[in-house]
Amino acid sequence: MVWAAEQLVGLSDDVRSPEPPAAMFSCERPSSKKSSRKKETESAELSMMVVEDKDDDEDIFLLAKTYFDMKEYRRAAQILNGVSGKKSLFLRCYSTYLAGEKRKEEEIIETAGPLGRSDAINPELAGLEQELGRLHVKRSLDPFATYLYGVILHELDRKAEARAALCMSVNSYPWNWSAWLELQSLCSDNDNLSTLDLHDHWMRDFFVAAFYLELQRNTEGLECYRSLHSVFQNSDYVLCQIATAHYNLREFDEAESLFEELLRTDPYRLEGIDIYSNILFVKECFAALSHLAHKAFLTDKYRPETCFIIGNYYSLKAQHEKAVLYFRRALKLNRKYLSAWTLMGHEYVEMKNSAAAIDAYRRAVDINPRDYRAWYGLGQAYELLAMPYYALYYYRKATQLRPHDARMWCAMGQCYENENLKMHMAAIRCYRRAVSNNDREGIALHKLARLHNQLGHTDQAAFYYKKNLERMENDQTEGSDIIEALLFLAQHYRNQNLLVEAEQYCTRLLDYGGREKEDAKALLRDIRSVQQHASSQSSMDFENFTP
């Protein structure tokens, strides 16, 4: 009856096969069953607590991320203290790093000189290196924290370790372009690139192409970007890099058309458009550069690129003080804006302020030692100060970085010609290198002709004068160089008794005015006198001839 009563309570609703409860036949003691239920309850409560802790950690992380987005880096780092997880570790360490960078910038403003030079360092580097270094040894860092560790090692000038850490980061997560750029800044030549342990991935192709452009290996970089463009046909970044490669190769027409195409598809773009403004400056397109500057100003007047473009516009108008003002504004917005430092140095050279120009160029070299323009500018500045040995040192640096640029070799050759050096043979070697590297302006040919003439090498001088004359005729250019070449060749062929060639050059000289025209007339009279004498002599010989 007891069993029937329990069944009525509802332990079993199936009256067709009434069975006693399992507990009646169980050998387990009641106390043991209660203990098992207690353990299950405690396990469930513990699981719920873990879930609640995870939810709390996620909430704290989101709050810290909000502080980070508001650039309150100290608050973001402080609230993440004690919070576990790789995301939280990275955000806390990165916030601490940026807080140190912010403090460093403040110290630079407080203690810097007129152009912002300061020895301030990030005070958080040592502590972050210790913490991340311990975890790195244990292989406990995710790709982003490993990237941050590589950045810190780079700033501590431990470059080999930084390269290894960054390679590990990009191999684990190849899509972090910031890590690739940091790795690029640590590679100085092709040997460094070949020693990097990088996995085969399409992001590596982007890295190699950008690296070639950075090393001024523009032809190889252009080929890489063209192959990438066949895959990423709608990529504005790839198109911009192709245009930059053409600009570095001094193919300004091709680069200009590519930038125009880029602006048609992305009319409010400012990234990379500073290079387009350089092209318009070189081609002296006043109206186009004015339109570009106005458009950039309307798009975002507080972007460094906008200030740079406006500075280029004022430089083209020879308003150098205003140009310097806008380059300074660009540098206030981005202290590491390399092109702004370099062009500000150029403006100071135009203003004959050599000391300020040298300071600006040195800042550019500090930011990127591979910037050949800054080394070239330093050479020019020291040449203006009549310090040719210093100028030669910097010109050599420029030629090492840009060995296929004829302008660098011409500058070095002119420095060797300096009256304090008078190293004419060294200058000749430099000018020959310029000629072999497609000297478009023809400076090297004219210089070679003059130098050989001064040294008494008349045959070689005639060879280079003739070659330069052919170049100017093909380019349809006029100027004093043509007159000088024609006069020398006329005199040279007259001295060689090649009267027909001498007469041709003298006849061409008659089309020009000045003293050279009178010299050509006198030379023609002399040539015709010699021809008449030779003619009369030959006739006399014929008359005296008896068969």
Side-chain angles (χ1 to χ4, degrees):
M1 296 297 296
V2 175
W3 170 70
E6 288 180 354
Q7 196 172 14
L8 290 174
V9 173
L11 293 177
S12 177
D13 295 331
D14 192 357
V15 295
R16 293 172 299 173
S17 57
E19 295 180 1
M24 295 184 64
F25 306 99
S26 175
C27 299
E28 185 180 4
R29 295 179 182 177
S31 60
S32 175
K33 186 175 181 180
K34 290 181 180 179
S35 175
S36 176
R37 288 180 176 175
K38 184 177 180 182
K39 287 180 180 179
E40 291 176 0
T41 304
E42 289 176 352
S43 176
E45 290 176 353
L46 184 61
S47 299
M48 292 179 64
M49 290 174 65
V50 169
V51 171
E52 289 176 0
D53 288 343
K54 286 183 178 179
D55 290 341
D56 291 343
D57 288 351
E58 187 66 25
D59 291 342
I60 293 172
F61 176 81
L62 291 174
L63 179 59
K65 181 67 169 59
T66 304
Y67 288 149
F68 181 87
D69 293 339
M70 294 170 64
K71 298 186 179 181
E72 297 186 21
Y73 303 122
R74 294 288 181 192
R75 292 182 75 186
Q78 187 274 331
I79 201 173
L80 286 170
N81 282 331
V83 179
S84 60
K86 292 184 177 181
K87 287 196 304 182
S88 299
L89 171 70
F90 169 73
L91 186 58
R92 176 172 60 80
C93 292
Y94 194 44
S95 298
T96 304
Y97 170 77
L98 290 180
E101 287 292 300
K102 188 176 180 181
R103 179 58 195 147
K104 183 179 78 170
E105 291 294 321
E106 291 168 355
E107 288 184 13
I108 288 174
I109 295 171
E110 293 165 2
T111 62
L115 285 178
R117 186 176 294 276
S118 175
D119 296 326
I121 60 172
N122 188 331
E124 305 292 342
L125 293 180
L128 287 171
E129 190 278 329
Q130 290 179 359
E131 180 180 359
L132 293 175
R134 287 194 299 269
L135 295 171
H136 181 69
V137 171
K138 298 176 183 178
R139 306 287 181 176
S140 300
L141 296 179
D142 68 351
F144 298 100
T146 307
Y147 154 68
L148 179 59
Y149 183 53
V151 171
I152 292 167
L153 290 173
H154 187 189
E155 293 205 17
L156 293 173
D157 206 28
R158 292 161 57 179
K159 295 185 178 180
E161 297 174 70
R163 277 194 291 269
L166 290 167
C167 284
M168 187 180 297
S169 174
V170 296
N171 285 336
S172 301
Y173 188 83
W175 302 278
N176 183 8
W177 185 238
S178 298
W180 289 107
L181 291 178
E182 191 71 25
L183 184 60
Q184 176 183 302
S185 66
L186 284 163
C187 299
S188 56
D189 51 34
N190 196 40
D191 293 335
N192 287 134
L193 181 62
S194 60
T195 58
L196 296 178
D197 181 21
L198 296 174
H199 295 170
D200 188 15
H201 192 275
W202 56 266
M203 281 297 292
R204 184 181 183 277
D205 297 334
F206 277 93
F207 167 71
V208 171
F211 183 70
Y212 282 150
L213 286 195
E214 182 70 17
L215 288 184
Q216 294 300 318
R217 296 171 58 180
N218 297 295
T219 304
E220 296 166 84
L222 184 58
E223 291 175 0
C224 290
Y225 277 119
R226 279 175 174 163
S227 64
L228 286 169
H229 187 61
S230 64
V231 179
F232 302 93
Q233 297 179 1
N234 297 321
S235 172
D236 290 344
Y237 167 78
V238 174
L239 188 63
C240 182
Q241 292 297 94
I242 292 173
T244 303
H246 281 296
Y247 166 73
N248 290 341
L249 290 168
R250 297 178 60 77
E251 298 171 353
F252 298 127
D253 293 335
E254 293 85 347
E256 183 181 9
S257 63
L258 287 170
F259 275 117
E260 288 174 354
E261 179 184 346
L262 187 63
L263 286 174
R264 280 195 295 271
T265 58
D266 190 2
Y268 299 103
R269 180 188 181 94
L270 289 176
E271 183 183 358
I273 303 303
D274 49 350
I275 297 173
Y276 180 43
S277 74
N278 288 340
I279 295 169
L280 297 178
F281 176 89
V282 171
K283 297 183 72 173
E284 298 184 358
C285 301
F286 286 88
L289 186 54
S290 173
H291 174 74
L292 182 66
H294 183 69
K295 185 177 178 181
F297 183 83
L298 293 178
T299 301
D300 188 351
K301 64 180 179 181
Y302 294 114
R303 278 282 291 272
E305 292 87 349
T306 298
C307 299
F308 181 91
I309 293 168
I310 297 173
N312 250 344
Y313 169 71
Y314 281 119
S315 178
L316 186 59
K317 293 185 69 177
Q319 297 182 20
H320 303 298
E321 293 81 3
K322 282 189 175 181
V324 167
L325 174 65
Y326 277 95
F327 288 138
R328 281 183 172 276
R329 287 183 181 178
L331 290 167
K332 284 182 180 179
L333 295 167
N334 181 3
R335 190 175 296 277
K336 294 186 178 182
Y337 196 172
L338 181 65
S339 297
W341 284 115
T342 304
L343 290 195
M344 189 164 72
H346 293 347
E347 297 305 310
Y348 280 128
V349 168
E350 294 291 334
M351 295 164 65
K352 309 301 180 187
N353 189 347
S354 298
I358 289 170
D359 206 355
Y361 289 135
R362 288 194 185 280
R363 286 302 301 273
V365 168
D366 290 342
I367 294 169
N368 185 1
R370 294 193 291 266
D371 180 27
Y372 77 94
R373 296 178 183 87
W375 293 111
Y376 176 75
L378 281 168
Q380 284 185 313
Y382 278 106
E383 198 171 5
L384 287 174
L385 292 173
M387 301 172 73
Y389 289 103
Y390 283 89
L392 274 177
Y393 171 79
Y394 294 116
Y395 282 142
R396 283 198 190 100
K397 286 280 191 181
T399 54
Q400 288 169 7
L401 293 167
R402 186 96 167 175
H404 303 297
D405 194 330
R407 296 170 300 167
M408 307 297 113
W409 293 107
C410 286
M412 187 183 288
Q414 288 172 348
C415 195
Y416 276 123
E417 280 190 84
N418 188 284
E419 60 182 11
N420 295 327
L421 297 180
K422 294 184 178 179
M423 300 171 66
H424 297 306
M425 295 310 298
I428 286 173
R429 287 194 294 272
C430 289
Y431 289 134
R432 283 176 179 167
R433 287 290 298 271
V435 171
S436 65
N437 284 296
N438 189 23
D439 176 30
R440 299 180 183 180
E441 288 81 10
I443 296 171
L445 286 172
H446 184 68
K447 290 285 187 178
L448 280 169
R450 275 191 171 181
L451 277 174
H452 282 298
N453 188 22
Q454 291 174 14
L455 296 172
H457 307 155
T458 54
D459 289 339
Q460 290 171 300
F463 171 78
Y464 286 113
Y465 270 126
K466 193 172 182 179
K467 206 167 182 181
N468 193 34
L469 189 61
E470 291 171 357
R471 181 196 63 82
M472 289 185 286
E473 288 172 354
N474 291 332
D475 295 343
Q476 297 182 348
T477 56
E478 298 289 339
S480 60
D481 290 353
I482 291 182
I483 299 173
E484 182 181 337
L486 289 171
L487 184 60
F488 175 85
L489 289 169
Q491 292 172 342
H492 173 72
Y493 285 120
R494 167 65 186 86
N495 295 335
Q496 297 289 324
N497 207 28
L498 299 171
L499 302 181
V500 176
E501 290 85 350
E503 187 176 8
Q504 289 174 353
Y505 288 116
C506 286
T507 304
R508 290 180 61 182
L509 267 174
L510 295 177
D511 295 333
Y512 299 92
R515 183 178 59 83
E516 289 81 4
K517 184 175 182 178
E518 300 302 320
D519 292 341
K521 288 180 179 179
L523 197 56
L524 269 175
R525 285 194 295 268
D526 179 51
I527 291 168
R528 284 166 184 166
S529 173
V530 172
Q531 287 173 335
Q532 288 174 0
H533 177 71
S535 166
S536 62
Q537 187 68 33
S538 63
S539 62
M540 288 175 62
D541 291 341
F542 180 75
E543 290 174 359
N544 294 332
F545 175 72
T546 55

